[in-house]
Amino acid sequence: MTHGMRADTYGPPLDGDRGRRETATRYALLPLRIFLGVTFLYAGIDKLTDSAFMKDAGAGSIGDMMRAVRDSSALPALVDMSLESPVAFGYAMAFGELAVGIGTLIGLLTRLAALGGALISLSLWLTVSWAAEPYYYGNDLPYLMAWTPLLLAGAPLLSVDAALRLRRRQRAGDYR
C-alpha cells in the first residue's frame, strides 16, 4: 500500500491555533501572485503602448537598448539573436509578459505562467541587468527568485486552477 501526501492540504498547527496562523499560511502566496501578475501585465502593456519602444532604432527603442547591453551581457549570442529582428523580439517579450501576468493573476496554468515569468526574468538578468554592480542592484534576479514559490506551489487558492481541480474531484466523487 502506498501512502502519499496531498499538496493542497495543511496539517494542524503545533500549537492548536487553527485561526489566523492557518489562514495566513493558506494565503501566503497570494500577495506575491498579485504583485508579479500586475507587474508583468503592466510591463507588457507598457511595451505595447510605448511608441518609441517597438522600433529598430531611436531613443527608447528595443533595438538601441539591446545594442547598448550586448557587450556587457552574459550571453551576447542571445542579444545577437534578438537583434536579428528587434521589433519582433519586442512584441514576443510584450505578449509573453501579458500571458504571464494574466495567467498569474487569475491563476490559470499558474505553474506554466510562473515558468514563463522565471524564463523572462532569467533572460533579462543574463542580458539587460547582468552588468549591474553589485549584482543586487539589478532587478531581474529578485524577480527570477520571486517566481520560484509560484513555480513550486502553483495557485492553490482563489484561482481558476483551484476551481478546475475542485471540479475534477467532484466529478470523480472525491469530495475531500
Side-chain angles (χ1 to χ4, degrees), residues 64-112:
D64 279 3
M65 182 185 71
M66 296 311 289
R67 282 186 281 281
V69 301
R70 190 219 176 267
D71 293 333
S72 62
S73 75
L75 298 173
L78 188 61
V79 178
D80 289 339
M81 189 170 64
S82 71
L83 284 170
E84 289 177 18
S85 182
V87 174
F89 176 76
Y91 277 110
M93 181 69 77
F95 286 120
E97 288 170 339
L98 284 174
V100 165
I102 291 168
T104 302
L105 277 175
I106 66 172
L108 178 61
L109 302 173
T110 309
R111 285 188 172 105
L112 183 61

Side-chain angles (χ1 to χ4, degrees), residues 10-168:
Y10 301 90
L14 296 175
D15 62 359
D17 179 17
R18 301 183 65 80
R20 291 184 309 245
R21 182 173 291 169
E22 185 174 297
T23 300
T25 299
R26 292 179 54 122
Y27 289 91
L29 291 178
L30 193 57
L32 182 63
R33 203 175 106 208
I34 292 168
F35 171 76
L36 290 172
V38 167
T39 300
F40 271 61
L41 185 63
Y42 178 80
I45 291 170
D46 189 45
K47 286 174 179 63
L48 292 173
T49 58
D50 184 350
S51 60
F53 184 78
M54 293 297 182
K55 296 191 189 269
D56 287 338
S61 70
I62 180 74
D64 279 3
M65 182 185 71
M66 296 311 289
R67 282 186 281 281
V69 301
R70 190 219 176 267
D71 293 333
S72 62
S73 75
L75 298 173
L78 188 61
V79 178
D80 289 339
M81 189 170 64
S82 71
L83 284 170
E84 289 177 18
S85 182
V87 174
F89 176 76
Y91 277 110
M93 181 69 77
F95 286 120
E97 288 170 339
L98 284 174
V100 165
I102 291 168
T104 302
L105 277 175
I106 66 172
L108 178 61
L109 302 173
T110 309
R111 285 188 172 105
L112 183 61
L115 177 62
L119 290 174
I120 289 170
S121 297
L122 176 64
S123 67
L124 290 172
W125 176 54
L126 292 173
T127 56
V128 177
S129 63
W130 181 257
E133 202 170 303
Y135 76 92
Y136 51 82
Y137 279 175
N139 63 347
D140 297 308
L141 183 57
Y143 278 104
L144 173 61
M145 294 298 108
W147 284 110
T148 304
L150 293 178
L151 185 60
L152 295 172
L157 296 169
L158 301 176
S159 66
V160 174
D161 290 344
L164 292 173
R165 191 170 39 254
L166 177 63
R167 187 174 178 187
R168 281 191 303 271

